[in-house]
Each structure stands twice: as structure tokens, then as C-alpha cells.
Amino acid sequence: MTASVTRAVIRGVGHYLPERVVENDWFTTFLDTSDEWIKSRSGIERRHFAAEGQTTSDLATRAAEGALADAGMQPDDIDTIILATSTPDLTFPATATIVQERLGMTRGFAFDVQAVCAGFVYALSNANALILSGQARRVLVIGAETFSRIMNWEDRTTCVLFGDGAGAVILEATEGTGTASDRGILATDLHSDGRHRDILKVSGGVSASQSTGHLMMAGKEVFRHAVEKLARSTIDVLDRAGVTVGDVDCVIPHQANIRIISRTAQKLDLPMEKVVVTVQDHGNTSAASIPLAMSVAKASGQVSEGDLVVTEAIGGGLAWGAVALRW
Ligand code: UT7
């Protein structure tokens, strides 16, 4: 006999990218770098940068509108907005409340989650917990970033890697059977280890220095942690969901570096045909990268209803995790 359980099912996705596209060659006008280095080391060919005055909430609102349209829902159908970002408009209030107002949503509650590049996985997991506990039925989960605002333009080891953008999904409570054939989130797996906080961080902050600061990264160190931790988290989340790597139809990884993506897939014995790759066009958009990739994959047909999907990410903290879901 199978029990009836609540599942958080994806009802809509959307994304928004700022108009300005910056090709790798642009960096050669002021840095000792090349298109060849950036492409071969990271897989990145271009990225989008927000216009002057265009903020994280602007990108997030556009992505959210897309997800609402895709789901056929109105803003007041939503109970909760969770926005994953490390580049908020302001120190406070939460960027999520700015998006709430922009959407014209006058009920429910909205808050931000900060887990850097793992932010969207953390936000999805929190949305799932709110839905399973009955505190919300429909949650708008957004990842939105303007990382161009925290770049050190003199540091060629970091500024060529990041981009701006936003993606959004809408989750809705739906009755399932409690088996892995249900649509919706099947399992989540989150971790952090603050001992590694210095290998990827921003040099400033409200309490420490009353300044915004710039991104700093020990790239090789982060790379080393990434492949091992992402593969472990993916295996654990699939196990928790009651499925195996062989059951996976589609992997939607955080888009930091094609070499991390492909080595993780290789470690898991997952063919690259099953992996969604957008890093060449978006760069690393931190918390926005997974919902952006989800929206692109849905539009291209790379992911469709009924597919078993696993999504994984790692970033500053270190913070990392994975979510297994049936689309
Ligand atoms: O999303 C959050 C998580 N972040 C990540 O997952 C990023 C993880 N790390 C990475 O993706 C890679 O480590 C990088 C793409 C950042 C760097 O790739 P790498 O293969 O680890 O290169 P490296 O740092 O070992 O640098 C190799 C060389 C160095 O020169 P020397 O010391 O060998 O003479 C760098 O100075 O490449 C040099 N270099 C560059 N050369 C041209 C570093 N950046 C550049 C550049 N253009 N932009």
C-alpha cells in the first residue's frame, strides 16, 4: 500500500538576462588574458552584465514574471517568495520584499537566502520544507545576481568568470504516492563547512568593514573541493530519493566551469548528453545559474515532464548540496 504524501512540484520556470553581452575578447582590452585561456580553462565564451542602475531585483522581477506566466498564475496565487542572492539591492530590506512589491503581491511573506553559488539549492530545499510542513502551498523560488558589481577588474583570475542574470521556478504542493515515480522534489542534501570560508569570499561587508568589497577566490582549491563534494552529494541525494545514477534523465549543475561539470559527470558515470550546459553563454551567475539553466533546458526541450532531474551546486562557505526531483 502506498501512502499519500505532499510533494513540491515545479509548475513554471522563467529567466531574464541583461541586454549587454560581453564576449571574452572584451577583457583583452584591459587585462593580460585571452579568449583561448578563458574558454579552455572555464568553458566560458560570453556573459551578460547588468546596465548601470539595473539591480538584482530588476532581474529577479523579470524572471519571476516569466515563471508566473509559464505556470499560468497571478502574483497573489503565491504564498512565499524565497530569493537566493549574494548581491542584494540593499543591505536591507531583503531583495525578495522588493520583488514582492514590484510583482504587486500584497499577501504572504518574502525573504532572501544567502549561500552564494549554492543559494538556489538551499532556497529549493527551504521551499520544499515550507511546503511539506504546510506553511505554504505555492512558493516562488528565485536565484538572481549582479556579480559584476563585486568584481575586482584588475584581477584576471576572477573577473573573467562571472556574469549577471536571474532565474525563477514556482513550486506547488501536490499529492503524491510517496514513491520515486511522483512528480516533485524527492530528496534534498545540504552541507556547509566554514573552515574553508577563506578560499572564496568577498573582501568587505557591513559589519566587518562598512564596504561592499570584491570577490576573491583560490580557484584551484575550490576546484579540488568541487568535484569531490558535488559527486558525493549527488550520490547521497539520489540514494535518499530511492533511485540510482542510472535512473537520472537530466543533470542541471551549477554553471561555474565546464571542467568541474564534466569531471563530476565522469566521476558519476553520467554521459554529458544528459547534462545541461549553459556556462559558455552565461558565465558563472552564482545563485542564478541553476534556475537559468532550468529555464533554458525547458525551452529547448532538454528537460520535460516526468524526467528524473538532479541539480547540484557548491560555492562560498563552503556551502554545497543537491536536490533530486521529478520534473
Ligand atoms: O561558483 C563558485 C565556485 N567556483 C568555482 O567552482 C571555480 C573553481 N575554479 C576554477 O574554475 C579554476 O580553478 C579557474 C578557472 C579559476 C582557474 O583555472 P586553473 O586551471 O585552476 O588555473 P590556475 O589558477 O592554476 O592558473 C593557471 C595560470 C596561472 O599562471 P602561472 O602561475 O601558471 O604562470 C595564472 O596566473 O593561468 C594564469 N591565469 C590567467 N591567464 C590568462 C589566471 N587567470 C588568467 C586569465 N588569463 N584570466
Side-chain angles (χ1 to χ4, degrees):
M1 205 179 79
T2 48
S4 173
V5 300
T6 303
R7 297 287 197 192
V9 175
I10 292 184
R11 294 292 179 208
V13 291
H15 74 266
Y16 177 75
L17 289 157
E19 269 175 38
R20 183 177 170 213
V21 179
V22 172
E23 302 287 339
N24 287 346
D25 274 339
W26 179 74
F27 292 93
T28 65
T29 62
F30 61 96
L31 282 176
D32 179 16
T33 188
S34 65
D35 174 46
E36 208 285 312
W37 191 94
I38 301 169
K39 230 181 337 202
S40 64
R41 297 293 174 125
S42 71
I44 298 164
E45 296 175 29
R46 60 194 65 81
R47 73 288 291 139
H48 294 245
F49 285 152
E52 209 180 318
Q54 194 176 31
T55 62
T56 295
S57 69
D58 293 327
L59 314 188
T61 303
R62 298 285 291 267
E65 285 166 350
L68 284 165
D70 190 42
M73 291 181 194
Q74 301 301 316
D76 276 341
D77 293 332
I78 301 297
D79 301 312
T80 305
I81 300 174
I82 307 180
L83 192 152
T85 191
S86 303
T87 46
D89 287 21
L90 302 167
T91 302
F92 76 76
T95 304
T97 61
I98 303 173
V99 174
Q100 181 186 29
E101 185 271 333
R102 292 268 185 83
L103 291 174
M105 177 180 156
T106 54
R107 55 181 295 280
F109 61 97
F111 62 98
D112 290 356
V113 160
Q114 210 271 50
V116 203
C117 298
F120 190 75
V121 165
Y122 269 63
L124 264 190
S125 186
N126 275 280
N128 187 47
L130 286 174
I131 286 174
L132 298 197
S133 66
Q135 291 177 82
R137 283 192 60 77
R138 289 170 172 167
V139 183
L140 170 60
V141 188
I142 308 171
E145 303 279 16
T146 46
F147 259 52
S148 62
R149 304 274 153 72
I150 53 167
M151 288 300 108
N152 172 0
W153 299 106
E154 290 172 6
D155 178 9
R156 66 175 185 170
T157 69
T158 53
C159 75
V160 301
L161 301 173
F162 293 88
D164 302 338
V169 307
I170 291 169
L171 294 173
E172 183 175 44
T174 307
E175 291 312 302
T177 62
T179 69
S181 60
D182 287 345
R183 288 189 65 200
I185 293 179
L186 301 174
T188 64
D189 182 60
L190 299 182
H191 302 271
S192 69
D193 186 344
R195 289 174 301 174
H196 305 300
R197 68 183 182 276
D198 283 339
I199 63 173
L200 177 48
K201 66 175 187 183
V202 169
S203 57
V206 181
S207 190
S209 66
Q210 301 82 60
S211 68
T212 306
H214 291 120
L215 184 143
M216 297 158 67
M217 176 166 70
K220 259 200 185 338
E221 275 286 285
V222 178
F223 197 115
R224 195 174 56 75
H225 283 285
V227 176
E228 175 217 323
K229 288 181 166 51
L230 292 174
R232 181 77 260 158
S233 188
T234 302
I235 289 168
D236 289 349
V237 85
L238 292 174
D239 194 43
R240 206 168 289 163
V243 294
T244 65
V245 170
D247 297 320
V248 172
D249 298 302
C250 182
V251 187
I252 308 184
H254 169 49
Q255 309 284 320
N257 186 317
I258 189 63
R259 292 187 294 138
I260 294 175
I261 294 171
S262 56
R263 278 197 209 169
T264 307
Q266 204 177 11
K267 214 172 159 80
L268 293 166
D269 216 8
L270 270 159
M272 281 304 283
E273 301 84 73
K274 291 188 175 181
V275 183
V276 176
V277 179
T278 57
V279 70
Q280 70 284 358
D281 295 325
H282 302 162
N284 182 346
T285 58
S286 191
S289 93
I290 289 174
L292 260 167
M294 283 179 163
S295 183
V296 168
K298 187 187 172 191
S300 72
Q302 197 175 354
V303 67
S304 50
E305 196 172 314
D307 282 353
L308 182 70
V309 175
V310 66
T311 181
E312 30 88 342
I314 186 165
L318 291 176
W320 69 99
V323 174
L325 61 96
R326 196 169 293 285
W327 195 268

PDB file of all heavy atoms in Angstrom, residues 60-87:
ATOM      1  N   ALA A  60      15.466  39.869 -11.068  1.00  0.00           N
ATOM      2  CA  ALA A  60      14.642  38.872 -10.381  1.00  0.00           C
ATOM      3  C   ALA A  60      13.161  39.031 -10.737  1.00  0.00           C
ATOM      4  O   ALA A  60      12.451  38.042 -10.951  1.00  0.00           O
ATOM      5  CB  ALA A  60      14.832  39.000  -8.873  1.00  0.00           C
ATOM      6  N   THR A  61      12.705  40.283 -10.806  1.00  0.00           N
ATOM      7  CA  THR A  61      11.288  40.533 -11.106  1.00  0.00           C
ATOM      8  C   THR A  61      10.942  40.029 -12.506  1.00  0.00           C
ATOM      9  O   THR A  61       9.897  39.391 -12.709  1.00  0.00           O
ATOM     10  CB  THR A  61      10.968  42.049 -10.966  1.00  0.00           C
ATOM     11  OG1 THR A  61      11.317  42.462  -9.645  1.00  0.00           O
ATOM     12  CG2 THR A  61       9.507  42.342 -11.221  1.00  0.00           C
ATOM     13  N   ARG A  62      11.848  40.281 -13.472  1.00  0.00           N
ATOM     14  CA  ARG A  62      11.599  39.815 -14.853  1.00  0.00           C
ATOM     15  C   ARG A  62      11.544  38.286 -14.915  1.00  0.00           C
ATOM     16  O   ARG A  62      10.698  37.704 -15.594  1.00  0.00           O
ATOM     17  CB  ARG A  62      12.687  40.345 -15.797  1.00  0.00           C
ATOM     18  CG  ARG A  62      12.737  41.868 -15.903  1.00  0.00           C
ATOM     19  CD  ARG A  62      11.601  42.422 -16.751  1.00  0.00           C
ATOM     20  NE  ARG A  62      11.760  42.078 -18.147  1.00  0.00           N
ATOM     21  CZ  ARG A  62      12.369  42.833 -19.067  1.00  0.00           C
ATOM     22  NH1 ARG A  62      12.868  43.992 -18.719  1.00  0.00           N
ATOM     23  NH2 ARG A  62      12.448  42.461 -20.325  1.00  0.00           N
ATOM     24  N   ALA A  63      12.469  37.630 -14.205  1.00  0.00           N
ATOM     25  CA  ALA A  63      12.478  36.159 -14.192  1.00  0.00           C
ATOM     26  C   ALA A  63      11.202  35.628 -13.529  1.00  0.00           C
ATOM     27  O   ALA A  63      10.591  34.658 -14.009  1.00  0.00           O
ATOM     28  CB  ALA A  63      13.706  35.648 -13.456  1.00  0.00           C
ATOM     29  N   ALA A  64      10.788  36.281 -12.437  1.00  0.00           N
ATOM     30  CA  ALA A  64       9.585  35.854 -11.713  1.00  0.00           C
ATOM     31  C   ALA A  64       8.343  36.009 -12.587  1.00  0.00           C
ATOM     32  O   ALA A  64       7.456  35.139 -12.592  1.00  0.00           O
ATOM     33  CB  ALA A  64       9.434  36.673 -10.429  1.00  0.00           C
ATOM     34  N   GLU A  65       8.272  37.113 -13.339  1.00  0.00           N
ATOM     35  CA  GLU A  65       7.126  37.314 -14.239  1.00  0.00           C
ATOM     36  C   GLU A  65       7.060  36.193 -15.270  1.00  0.00           C
ATOM     37  O   GLU A  65       5.976  35.707 -15.608  1.00  0.00           O
ATOM     38  CB  GLU A  65       7.236  38.683 -14.927  1.00  0.00           C
ATOM     39  CG  GLU A  65       6.895  39.829 -13.983  1.00  0.00           C
ATOM     40  CD  GLU A  65       7.323  41.213 -14.503  1.00  0.00           C
ATOM     41  OE1 GLU A  65       8.058  41.288 -15.524  1.00  0.00           O
ATOM     42  OE2 GLU A  65       6.937  42.205 -13.875  1.00  0.00           O
ATOM     43  N   GLY A  66       8.234  35.772 -15.768  1.00  0.00           N
ATOM     44  CA  GLY A  66       8.282  34.670 -16.727  1.00  0.00           C
ATOM     45  C   GLY A  66       7.778  33.368 -16.122  1.00  0.00           C
ATOM     46  O   GLY A  66       7.030  32.617 -16.756  1.00  0.00           O
ATOM     47  N   ALA A  67       8.196  33.108 -14.871  1.00  0.00           N
ATOM     48  CA  ALA A  67       7.775  31.866 -14.206  1.00  0.00           C
ATOM     49  C   ALA A  67       6.269  31.876 -13.921  1.00  0.00           C
ATOM     50  O   ALA A  67       5.586  30.852 -14.077  1.00  0.00           O
ATOM     51  CB  ALA A  67       8.563  31.678 -12.914  1.00  0.00           C
ATOM     52  N   LEU A  68       5.750  33.049 -13.522  1.00  0.00           N
ATOM     53  CA  LEU A  68       4.299  33.161 -13.264  1.00  0.00           C
ATOM     54  C   LEU A  68       3.509  32.913 -14.544  1.00  0.00           C
ATOM     55  O   LEU A  68       2.510  32.183 -14.544  1.00  0.00           O
ATOM     56  CB  LEU A  68       3.963  34.554 -12.705  1.00  0.00           C
ATOM     57  CG  LEU A  68       4.316  34.797 -11.233  1.00  0.00           C
ATOM     58  CD1 LEU A  68       4.274  36.290 -10.905  1.00  0.00           C
ATOM     59  CD2 LEU A  68       3.364  34.024 -10.315  1.00  0.00           C
ATOM     60  N   ALA A  69       3.973  33.499 -15.645  1.00  0.00           N
ATOM     61  CA  ALA A  69       3.287  33.306 -16.939  1.00  0.00           C
ATOM     62  C   ALA A  69       3.341  31.836 -17.352  1.00  0.00           C
ATOM     63  O   ALA A  69       2.336  31.264 -17.803  1.00  0.00           O
ATOM     64  CB  ALA A  69       3.937  34.194 -18.007  1.00  0.00           C
ATOM     65  N   ASP A  70       4.502  31.216 -17.163  1.00  0.00           N
ATOM     66  CA  ASP A  70       4.663  29.804 -17.530  1.00  0.00           C
ATOM     67  C   ASP A  70       3.728  28.912 -16.707  1.00  0.00           C
ATOM     68  O   ASP A  70       3.212  27.911 -17.205  1.00  0.00           O
ATOM     69  CB  ASP A  70       6.129  29.398 -17.306  1.00  0.00           C
ATOM     70  CG  ASP A  70       6.462  28.033 -17.884  1.00  0.00           C
ATOM     71  OD1 ASP A  70       6.004  27.740 -19.016  1.00  0.00           O
ATOM     72  OD2 ASP A  70       7.169  27.248 -17.224  1.00  0.00           O
ATOM     73  N   ALA A  71       3.518  29.283 -15.431  1.00  0.00           N
ATOM     74  CA  ALA A  71       2.653  28.494 -14.546  1.00  0.00           C
ATOM     75  C   ALA A  71       1.178  28.863 -14.707  1.00  0.00           C
ATOM     76  O   ALA A  71       0.308  28.181 -14.158  1.00  0.00           O
ATOM     77  CB  ALA A  71       3.080  28.718 -13.096  1.00  0.00           C
ATOM     78  N   GLY A  72       0.894  29.961 -15.412  1.00  0.00           N
ATOM     79  CA  GLY A  72      -0.493  30.439 -15.540  1.00  0.00           C
ATOM     80  C   GLY A  72      -1.029  30.929 -14.205  1.00  0.00           C
ATOM     81  O   GLY A  72      -2.206  30.737 -13.880  1.00  0.00           O
ATOM     82  N   MET A  73      -0.162  31.563 -13.414  1.00  0.00           N
ATOM     83  CA  MET A  73      -0.562  32.040 -12.085  1.00  0.00           C
ATOM     84  C   MET A  73      -0.433  33.560 -11.989  1.00  0.00           C
ATOM     85  O   MET A  73       0.313  34.174 -12.749  1.00  0.00           O
ATOM     86  CB  MET A  73       0.317  31.410 -10.995  1.00  0.00           C
ATOM     87  CG  MET A  73       0.093  29.923 -10.806  1.00  0.00           C
ATOM     88  SD  MET A  73       1.162  29.298  -9.469  1.00  0.00           S
ATOM     89  CE  MET A  73       1.011  27.525  -9.756  1.00  0.00           C
ATOM     90  N   GLN A  74      -1.136  34.115 -11.010  1.00  0.00           N
ATOM     91  CA  GLN A  74      -1.057  35.534 -10.685  1.00  0.00           C
ATOM     92  C   GLN A  74      -0.187  35.704  -9.434  1.00  0.00           C
ATOM     93  O   GLN A  74      -0.096  34.778  -8.627  1.00  0.00           O
ATOM     94  CB  GLN A  74      -2.453  36.096 -10.392  1.00  0.00           C
ATOM     95  CG  GLN A  74      -3.441  35.959 -11.547  1.00  0.00           C
ATOM     96  CD  GLN A  74      -2.943  36.672 -12.799  1.00  0.00           C
ATOM     97  OE1 GLN A  74      -2.448  37.794 -12.706  1.00  0.00           O
ATOM     98  NE2 GLN A  74      -3.042  36.001 -13.942  1.00  0.00           N
ATOM     99  N   PRO A  75       0.406  36.901  -9.237  1.00  0.00           N
ATOM    100  CA  PRO A  75       1.253  37.106  -8.047  1.00  0.00           C
ATOM    101  C   PRO A  75       0.562  36.712  -6.734  1.00  0.00           C
ATOM    102  O   PRO A  75       1.199  36.126  -5.853  1.00  0.00           O
ATOM    103  CB  PRO A  75       1.562  38.604  -8.092  1.00  0.00           C
ATOM    104  CG  PRO A  75       1.508  38.937  -9.559  1.00  0.00           C
ATOM    105  CD  PRO A  75       0.431  38.061 -10.141  1.00  0.00           C
ATOM    106  N   ASP A  76      -0.734  37.018  -6.593  1.00  0.00           N
ATOM    107  CA  ASP A  76      -1.380  36.713  -5.322  1.00  0.00           C
ATOM    108  C   ASP A  76      -1.751  35.238  -5.167  1.00  0.00           C
ATOM    109  O   ASP A  76      -2.302  34.834  -4.133  1.00  0.00           O
ATOM    110  CB  ASP A  76      -2.582  37.635  -5.088  1.00  0.00           C
ATOM    111  CG  ASP A  76      -2.133  38.965  -4.470  1.00  0.00           C
ATOM    112  OD1 ASP A  76      -1.009  39.011  -3.906  1.00  0.00           O
ATOM    113  OD2 ASP A  76      -2.893  39.949  -4.543  1.00  0.00           O
ATOM    114  N   ASP A  77      -1.436  34.420  -6.182  1.00  0.00           N
ATOM    115  CA  ASP A  77      -1.554  32.962  -6.015  1.00  0.00           C
ATOM    116  C   ASP A  77      -0.385  32.416  -5.198  1.00  0.00           C
ATOM    117  O   ASP A  77      -0.405  31.271  -4.747  1.00  0.00           O
ATOM    118  CB  ASP A  77      -1.544  32.247  -7.385  1.00  0.00           C
ATOM    119  CG  ASP A  77      -2.778  32.569  -8.214  1.00  0.00           C
ATOM    120  OD1 ASP A  77      -3.839  32.861  -7.608  1.00  0.00           O
ATOM    121  OD2 ASP A  77      -2.686  32.535  -9.459  1.00  0.00           O
ATOM    122  N   ILE A  78       0.675  33.235  -5.072  1.00  0.00           N
ATOM    123  CA  ILE A  78       1.912  32.793  -4.408  1.00  0.00           C
ATOM    124  C   ILE A  78       1.828  33.096  -2.907  1.00  0.00           C
ATOM    125  O   ILE A  78       1.395  34.165  -2.499  1.00  0.00           O
ATOM    126  CB  ILE A  78       3.132  33.539  -5.019  1.00  0.00           C
ATOM    127  CG1 ILE A  78       3.229  33.277  -6.532  1.00  0.00           C
ATOM    128  CG2 ILE A  78       4.442  33.168  -4.315  1.00  0.00           C
ATOM    129  CD1 ILE A  78       3.460  31.847  -6.944  1.00  0.00           C
ATOM    130  N   ASP A  79       2.271  32.140  -2.084  1.00  0.00           N
ATOM    131  CA  ASP A  79       2.293  32.338  -0.627  1.00  0.00           C
ATOM    132  C   ASP A  79       3.621  32.911  -0.148  1.00  0.00           C
ATOM    133  O   ASP A  79       3.668  33.643   0.837  1.00  0.00           O
ATOM    134  CB  ASP A  79       2.074  30.999   0.099  1.00  0.00           C
ATOM    135  CG  ASP A  79       0.753  30.360  -0.283  1.00  0.00           C
ATOM    136  OD1 ASP A  79      -0.268  31.068  -0.270  1.00  0.00           O
ATOM    137  OD2 ASP A  79       0.756  29.158  -0.623  1.00  0.00           O
ATOM    138  N   THR A  80       4.707  32.519  -0.820  1.00  0.00           N
ATOM    139  CA  THR A  80       6.044  32.841  -0.311  1.00  0.00           C
ATOM    140  C   THR A  80       7.013  33.073  -1.468  1.00  0.00           C
ATOM    141  O   THR A  80       6.964  32.339  -2.461  1.00  0.00           O
ATOM    142  CB  THR A  80       6.587  31.649   0.521  1.00  0.00           C
ATOM    143  OG1 THR A  80       5.639  31.338   1.529  1.00  0.00           O
ATOM    144  CG2 THR A  80       7.933  31.962   1.157  1.00  0.00           C
ATOM    145  N   ILE A  81       7.874  34.065  -1.308  1.00  0.00           N
ATOM    146  CA  ILE A  81       8.995  34.240  -2.249  1.00  0.00           C
ATOM    147  C   ILE A  81      10.290  33.984  -1.482  1.00  0.00           C
ATOM    148  O   ILE A  81      10.528  34.585  -0.427  1.00  0.00           O
ATOM    149  CB  ILE A  81       9.046  35.672  -2.823  1.00  0.00           C
ATOM    150  CG1 ILE A  81       7.756  36.019  -3.575  1.00  0.00           C
ATOM    151  CG2 ILE A  81      10.262  35.832  -3.746  1.00  0.00           C
ATOM    152  CD1 ILE A  81       7.688  37.482  -4.047  1.00  0.00           C
ATOM    153  N   ILE A  82      11.111  33.101  -2.020  1.00  0.00           N
ATOM    154  CA  ILE A  82      12.469  32.921  -1.478  1.00  0.00           C
ATOM    155  C   ILE A  82      13.437  33.317  -2.578  1.00  0.00           C
ATOM    156  O   ILE A  82      13.379  32.774  -3.682  1.00  0.00           O
ATOM    157  CB  ILE A  82      12.744  31.463  -1.049  1.00  0.00           C
ATOM    158  CG1 ILE A  82      11.660  30.967  -0.085  1.00  0.00           C
ATOM    159  CG2 ILE A  82      14.126  31.364  -0.399  1.00  0.00           C
ATOM    160  CD1 ILE A  82      11.870  29.518   0.393  1.00  0.00           C
ATOM    161  N   LEU A  83      14.287  34.286  -2.286  1.00  0.00           N
ATOM    162  CA  LEU A  83      15.224  34.783  -3.290  1.00  0.00           C
ATOM    163  C   LEU A  83      16.655  34.490  -2.836  1.00  0.00           C
ATOM    164  O   LEU A  83      17.085  34.952  -1.775  1.00  0.00           O
ATOM    165  CB  LEU A  83      15.011  36.280  -3.505  1.00  0.00           C
ATOM    166  CG  LEU A  83      15.715  36.889  -4.732  1.00  0.00           C
ATOM    167  CD1 LEU A  83      14.937  38.101  -5.221  1.00  0.00           C
ATOM    168  CD2 LEU A  83      17.135  37.289  -4.448  1.00  0.00           C
ATOM    169  N   ALA A  84      17.353  33.697  -3.623  1.00  0.00           N
ATOM    170  CA  ALA A  84      18.755  33.382  -3.318  1.00  0.00           C
ATOM    171  C   ALA A  84      19.637  34.411  -4.011  1.00  0.00           C
ATOM    172  O   ALA A  84      19.577  34.556  -5.236  1.00  0.00           O
ATOM    173  CB  ALA A  84      19.098  31.981  -3.810  1.00  0.00           C
ATOM    174  N   THR A  85      20.430  35.118  -3.218  1.00  0.00           N
ATOM    175  CA  THR A  85      21.359  36.097  -3.795  1.00  0.00           C
ATOM    176  C   THR A  85      22.475  36.419  -2.804  1.00  0.00           C
ATOM    177  O   THR A  85      22.281  36.350  -1.581  1.00  0.00           O
ATOM    178  CB  THR A  85      20.640  37.395  -4.210  1.00  0.00           C
ATOM    179  OG1 THR A  85      21.543  38.198  -4.981  1.00  0.00           O
ATOM    180  CG2 THR A  85      20.135  38.203  -3.021  1.00  0.00           C
ATOM    181  N   SER A  86      23.644  36.762  -3.348  1.00  0.00           N
ATOM    182  CA  SER A  86      24.733  37.310  -2.530  1.00  0.00           C
ATOM    183  C   SER A  86      24.996  38.748  -2.944  1.00  0.00           C
ATOM    184  O   SER A  86      25.934  39.375  -2.454  1.00  0.00           O
ATOM    185  CB  SER A  86      26.019  36.511  -2.734  1.00  0.00           C
ATOM    186  OG  SER A  86      25.789  35.171  -2.430  1.00  0.00           O
ATOM    187  N   THR A  87      24.201  39.248  -3.886  1.00  0.00           N
ATOM    188  CA  THR A  87      24.354  40.621  -4.372  1.00  0.00           C
ATOM    189  C   THR A  87      23.001  41.338  -4.271  1.00  0.00           C
ATOM    190  O   THR A  87      22.392  41.701  -5.282  1.00  0.00           O
ATOM    191  CB  THR A  87      24.869  40.616  -5.827  1.00  0.00           C
ATOM    192  OG1 THR A  87      24.131  39.652  -6.599  1.00  0.00           O
ATOM    193  CG2 THR A  87      26.346  40.274  -5.897  1.00  0.00           C
TER     194      THR A  87
END
